[in-house]
Structure formats: C-alpha cells, structure tokens
Amino acid sequence: MGVLILAVMAAGVLLMLTRVLPTAFALGFMAIGIALCAGQPLFGGKDSVAQAVLQTGAPMLASTMIAVLLGSWLGTLMEDTGIAATIVRKIVEFGGERPTAVALGVFAVSILCGSITGSAAAAMLAGVVGIPAMIAVGIPAVVAGGTVLMGLAAGLPLELIGWQFLSDAVKLPLEEVRSFQLKVFPIALVLGIAYIVVELRRKGVRHAWSVRAPGKARVRRGDAPWYALVTPLLPIVLALGFAVPIVPSLLAGVGYALIATTRPGGFGTTALKSLYRAFDVAAPPIVLFIAIGMLLSAVKLPGAVKALSPMVSAISPSSPWFFVLVFAVLVPLCLYRGPLNVYGLGAGIAGVLVSGGIYPAPAVLGLMSSYGQVLCVSDPTSTQTVWSAQYAGVRPEKVMLSTLPYTWLMAIGSLALTSLLFLA
Amino acid sequence: MTTTDEDLAVDLLRAAPTHENRAEERLRAWARIALAFGDELAATPDPLPAPEIAEVLGGARDDVLVLAEYDTRVRTILVRPDGISRAVKVLMRAGVSVTAGELRAAAVAHEVAHHRMHRGEGRELARRLGHTAFRLGPWRIRGHVTGADELAAHRFAHRRTGIGHGPLALTAALTRHTFGG
Ligand SMILES: [Zn+2]
C-alpha cells in the first residue's frame, strides 16, 4: 500500500517536472490517488475521498488564501500608486555613484515587498524599476536579478502570508511560527548581504553598451509622496510590534496606502479597481493552496499515515546532527518542482512527518522554512525567478547557479537552528 | 532626420529607470552637459596604460543586445562579436548601413570612455551635472543622474571614430526594432 502511494507521488512529480500538468492539477490528482491507494472509500464517511480530501481539504488553507489576496491587493496598490517605484528611484538617486549601495537599497526594498506579498508580484514590485536601475549603474545582470530574489528570500521569514501557510500546514499556533521565523531572519539577511557584497566584488561592476528590445512601455506615474513610502513597513510593524493579526495588519496597509496617495473622492474606485486586479495576481497561488490543502488532507488520512509512517520514519534521520546533514544534502530535491518543494509535494511530505509523529511539528516547520528559502530564490521554475531573470536579460538557470551557494548556506543555517531548538 | 543628438540624448535619459517623470528642460540640460563632457573627454588624450581588449561569446539575444562591456574589476574591455553582428543585421533592416568593423571600433571607444570615467574623470561629470538629491540648510547630498555617463560615452565614441551615424543614433535606431533572427 505504501509502495503504491509512493508510485502515485513519483508519477505526480514526473507530471510536474515534464510540465504535462500544471503543479496545482498534479497535486490535486495526487491527493485523490493517495487517498484511494490508502484504501479510503470514494464516498461516505468523514474519511472518504469526497469528504476528507475534496470537501474539507480544499478550504483547509483558507486563511492563507485570504492573506494572499490581501497581500496582492496591497502590492497592486503599491504598484498603481508608484510607491514601490518611488522608493527605488530615491535609492538610485542617493546611492548611484556606489553600485553596492544601490544593490543593498534594492535588496532592502525587496525584503519589504517580499514580506507583504509573495512570488512574482513581489519581484515585480521591487524589480520593475530596480533591475534596470541596477544594470544602469553597472551591476551585472545576473546579480541584479539575484539581488531582488535574495531580498524576497530574506523577506520570506517576515512574510505574513508565509506565517499563515506554515501555521496551517503543520498545525502550529501562529505565535510559534512567528517566533521561529524571526530567528531565521538574521540568517537570511546576512547571507543576502553576503551575496551582494561577494558577487559584486567577484564579478565587478560592468559598463555595457547594451540595447533593450522595445518592450511594453512602462507606465509613467508621478512620484508618491514621502509619507506614503512607509506603506510596506506598516503591516510588519503592526504584526510584529503590536501583535495585530495578519488580516487586519494587511488591511491597515491597504487603508494607509489609499489615504496617503488618493483623493478622498477616489477611494472607492481606486480600492475596488486594485482589489479586482489583485484577484488576477492572487489566482495562481490560491489555486496552488487549494491543491496543497487537498494533498495535506490526503496524507493525513488514517490509511495513508499507517502506510507511510513506517517507511518515512525508517529513512528519516533521528540524531539532531544527522538531521541537519541529511536534509542539507537533500536541498536540491526542492528545486525543479522536486519532491521536497514545500509549495508542492513537499507540503504533503511535511504532513506525513507531522501526522506520523516522526518529528515534532516545530522541527517540520523549520524544515519547510529552510527549503522555502532555497525555493524562493533559486528554483528556475518558480515564477519570481523566471520573471527576475528574464527581466534582467539572463536565463533563470544562470540566476540559480549564482544564488544557490548562498541559499544552500541559508538552508543549512536554518536547519542547524531547527535542530538546536527542537531536536537537541 | 531632423532629430538632433540632443533630442536623442533626452529620449535616452527619459527611458532610464529613474527619469520617467522628470521635466523636459531638466533632462535637456543634463543631456547638454553630458554630451559636452563627452566632447571634452574625446579631445584629451587617453591616459596610459590603455585597458586590455578581449572578445567574449554571447551578447545577441532576442530581448537584449550587448555590443561591448567594460569590466571595472580587471579593467578590460569585453567585445561581443555576436552582439555586434546581430546589431548590424537589425540596423540593415532599419535602413541604417554600418559595417561590423565600424560598430566594433565605436563599441571599443565607448568602453574606453567608461574606463576613463571609472578611473576618476567621471567625478567631474557628476560635479557639472550638479544634481542635488537632498538639501537641508547648508548640507546637500549630490544625486546620481542615471544614464549621463552613457551619453558621454556615446558622444566620446562618435568623436573618436567619426562614423557617419553616431552611437546615439544607432542605439535609438536599434531600440525601435525587434532583435530576433
Ligand atoms: Zn556604456
């Protein structure tokens, strides 16, 4: 039975790798397949495929989905009102003579953007102006793309949506997730800065005669007023400093952005327009979270737990240092839609680890968070990596090679932290 | 063509990622200063030692063409023959005839200008642009003008090589056409 489930998982990964099926669909079918292989009935009873996997599983990550939607709304507003672009312009104007300063500035903006909304939307917020601006001051294109991505990764531990996702996925209280993620943040921050400083020293600044093909003309918008520029900080400060829950924190950001940039008469129209556009931005991750919810429900079914736990526990390292070593070696398996992708099958595996009682839930949280960092930056198939690389004019694989040494170290650091806190 | 170098320079500045909203007169003033600086730079002899020149592969993609680069770390000019030959083809389609040899010479000269500006002469350009990013009483922080060094390098290359269409005009022609094939 366990072998059959593994075969379903392998088939699913193959379908994702070969891009026969979009990830979300593959995960959905995987969830149904796993439940059936685990011997659960199709209909009837609370552990049936129809009830447990589809009815209960689909909305399981509902809180995460709402957070994604609100984060996208705030991101859309920051784009429409020119807040993000204005911050980047100021950075270039102040730091332009020193490329490292420009890169560190764009990195900081990317952290903020990454903390309010995930994936490609965040990369675009910081990168639309940031990437060409960095290239214009002589930063090599690969490093320009990598800088935005490293910023997103450093912002990931502060991302409110990410807290919600991890909290729902491993069933831990939000406070515990937040407290762990805050300890991961310095590791991600230091390695992100190391990436910029080391890579710029290694590759050097380059002045090129280069020409970009006529793309879509960037929409020209006026600068946002200075007091609007604190918008991206607001949700984090509220959530961290004042323990405000995630939804009101994000809503406060939306409200502030509106008040700071829009005339009172235009509130309704601007708010509604940007909210509707946010649905477009939020659609892919929301669909993914529906499928992940189904997958998590499937692997937590009694039949699946009974079949998988012995196998997974047999190969799972038990000593704290072995835990770090083994999972550090396995890091590449989270790339290219691999089996340890935490926004894919990896979430299911995390579910098995928790429900099978193989590791304490906080350790699984640490594992997912560590892999999330690598995935966010280096996976050449993730949307933010593809967008940043292409916008910088390089292949996503080159960005992967440039960033992977640093994100791998990031993962090892967080794994060591996990082991120290929860396994030692 | 009735557009002058100055017009082209203003367009180029406006396309830079920080100048989208700047006033026309401001950009025009910066363009004039940068072009004049390029003229002056070309009129003075290059300091020794000259940067090394190397050829590297790549530079021709469907979305970006790179003709040459100046690597500040090893102080080397990297010429991209692929980028240059693709540019020649695109320009031919655009009705601008230039040989690969001419374009290569202009690209090398362009990077020589970057080499000189990077080694210190760029500070004078920044001083002349005199852009204030922030002022508080007697304190002022000088702001960076993205793209000004590029204009100076283009003009420098035009003066030094004397090719019919200057790098500014060639760049403008390239940006109006797609790079595929
Ligand atoms: Zn140049």
Side-chain angles (χ1 to χ4, degrees):
Chain A
M1 215 156 65
V3 180
L4 220 54
I5 294 178
L6 290 186
V8 169
M9 289 180 170
V13 169
L14 208 69
L15 288 175
M16 290 190 277
L17 273 175
T18 52
R19 310 221 175 185
V20 172
L21 268 185
T23 307
F25 294 158
L27 294 177
F29 287 127
M30 234 193 267
I32 297 171
I34 289 170
L36 290 175
C37 292
Q40 309 295 146
L42 204 51
F43 291 100
K46 72 172 179 44
D47 285 340
S48 68
V49 175
Q51 181 62 41
V53 177
L54 300 178
Q55 180 64 25
T56 315
M60 187 182 151
L61 300 174
S63 313
T64 310
M65 296 175 211
I66 300 297
V68 168
L69 181 61
L70 291 178
S72 307
W73 190 10
L74 184 52
T76 310
L77 260 179
M78 279 177 50
E79 192 193 334
D80 284 354
T81 57
I83 291 174
T86 306
I87 300 177
V88 174
R89 277 192 209 111
K90 296 271 178 234
I91 287 166
V92 176
E93 212 175 315
F94 279 110
E97 322 275 323
R98 290 171 302 280
T100 310
V102 174
L104 288 172
V106 177
F107 173 72
V109 177
S110 309
I111 292 178
L112 289 177
C113 294
S115 72
I116 51 170
T117 175
S119 72
M124 282 157 124
L125 268 181
V128 163
V129 177
I131 288 174
M134 283 189 279
I135 293 173
V137 298
I139 292 169
V142 179
V143 182
T147 295
V148 168
L149 291 166
M150 292 303 274
L152 298 193
L156 206 57
L158 300 178
E159 191 197 4
L160 309 187
I161 302 165
W163 297 351
Q164 190 68 61
F165 171 57
L166 293 169
S167 156
D168 289 346
V170 295
K171 286 271 169 284
L172 271 177
L174 205 64
E175 296 73 52
E176 233 174 296
V177 173
R178 182 173 62 199
S179 125
F180 175 76
Q181 289 291 72
L182 284 182
K183 295 188 186 87
V184 170
F185 176 65
I187 301 174
L189 184 69
V190 166
L191 279 156
I193 293 172
Y195 171 78
I196 292 167
V197 173
V198 174
E199 288 305 298
L200 275 182
R201 181 150 303 179
R202 232 165 53 82
K203 293 223 170 65
V205 174
R206 286 187 178 198
H207 297 286
W209 179 1
S210 66
V211 189
R212 284 182 152 251
K216 283 174 285 171
R218 263 179 285 126
V219 187
R220 285 174 200 155
R221 292 196 181 87
D223 279 3
W226 63 267
Y227 48 83
L229 304 186
V230 300
T231 301
L233 269 174
L234 198 65
I236 312 173
V237 169
L238 287 176
L240 278 182
F242 300 91
V244 177
I246 291 172
V247 167
S249 294
L250 288 168
L251 279 174
V254 168
Y256 182 75
L258 276 172
I259 292 169
T261 56
T262 317
R263 283 197 192 87
F267 279 2
T269 331
T270 310
L272 204 60
K273 248 196 200 156
S274 51
L275 176 57
Y276 286 174
R277 279 222 299 130
F279 273 92
D280 277 347
V281 177
I286 286 179
V287 170
L288 195 62
F289 284 130
I290 294 174
I292 291 177
M294 301 201 300
L295 182 65
L296 279 169
S297 306
V299 298
K300 282 178 185 161
L301 286 167
V305 171
K306 224 174 77 199
L308 288 173
S309 302
M311 304 168 75
V312 176
S313 87
I315 54 168
S316 296
S318 52
S319 94
W321 291 112
F322 217 42
F323 173 88
V324 178
L325 186 74
V326 168
F327 285 111
V329 170
L330 293 182
V331 157
L333 289 185
C334 75
L335 300 175
Y336 287 102
R337 321 260 144 192
L340 291 180
N341 178 332
V342 293
Y343 296 102
L345 181 55
I349 291 178
V352 175
L353 290 174
V354 173
S355 54
I358 292 153
Y359 295 117
V364 178
L365 158 76
L367 186 63
M368 288 182 83
S369 158
S370 311
Y371 282 0
Q373 309 276 344
V374 182
L375 190 67
C376 169
V377 179
S378 303
D379 183 355
T381 63
S382 68
T383 49
Q384 64 269 28
T385 310
V386 172
W387 182 85
S388 305
Q390 285 181 345
Y391 195 64
V394 293
R395 287 189 311 118
E397 284 77 13
K398 275 189 95 176
V399 172
M400 171 179 75
L401 291 177
S402 154
T403 55
L404 192 56
Y406 300 87
T407 51
W408 207 325
L409 281 176
M410 241 184 228
I412 293 172
S414 325
L415 285 169
L417 182 73
T418 304
S419 180
L420 216 66
L421 287 174
F422 309 123
L423 293 175
Chain B
M1 267 208 300
T2 50
T3 41
T4 63
D5 259 16
E6 197 180 293
D7 296 333
L8 294 171
V10 171
D11 289 347
L12 207 74
L13 279 182
R14 199 186 295 289
T18 49
H19 302 314
E20 293 97 335
N21 305 302
R22 297 216 199 272
E24 171 80 16
E25 312 84 74
R26 166 61 82 77
L27 293 180
R28 201 159 279 280
W30 281 342
R32 234 176 265 136
I33 293 169
L35 292 175
F37 185 78
D39 286 336
E40 264 179 57
L41 209 60
T44 54
D46 294 337
L48 295 168
E52 289 194 29
I53 300 175
E55 298 213 340
V56 280
L57 290 177
R61 290 173 36 121
D62 287 354
D63 47 356
V64 188
L65 290 185
V66 182
L67 283 69
E69 284 174 274
Y70 173 62
D71 186 333
T72 57
R73 189 178 45 98
V74 289
R75 298 191 168 172
T76 302
I77 292 172
L78 308 168
V79 177
R80 303 271 192 177
D82 299 350
I84 289 173
S85 63
R86 178 79 68 90
V88 170
K89 271 184 214 149
V90 176
L91 286 168
M92 189 122 66
R93 251 189 288 137
V96 179
S97 93
V98 61
T99 68
E102 286 170 330
L103 206 52
R104 187 185 192 280
V108 169
H110 178 108
E111 302 307 334
V112 168
H114 279 307
H115 167 74
R116 286 180 57 175
M117 285 188 279
H118 186 78
R119 292 199 55 193
E121 293 178 76
R123 266 192 298 266
E124 173 60 15
L125 174 59
R127 197 192 61 75
R128 285 190 206 173
L129 289 164
H131 175 41
T132 299
F134 183 77
R135 189 196 299 274
L136 191 77
W139 299 92
R140 62 188 281 274
I141 296 177
R142 183 152 71 205
H144 176 72
V145 179
T146 315
D149 57 341
E150 197 60 13
L151 298 183
H154 278 332
R155 177 56 78 83
F156 177 95
H158 198 179
R159 286 279 177 270
R160 281 289 174 89
T161 54
I163 56 174
H165 298 275
L168 264 172
L170 295 174
T171 302
L174 282 172
T175 44
R176 284 195 299 270
H177 292 78
T178 46
F179 301 159

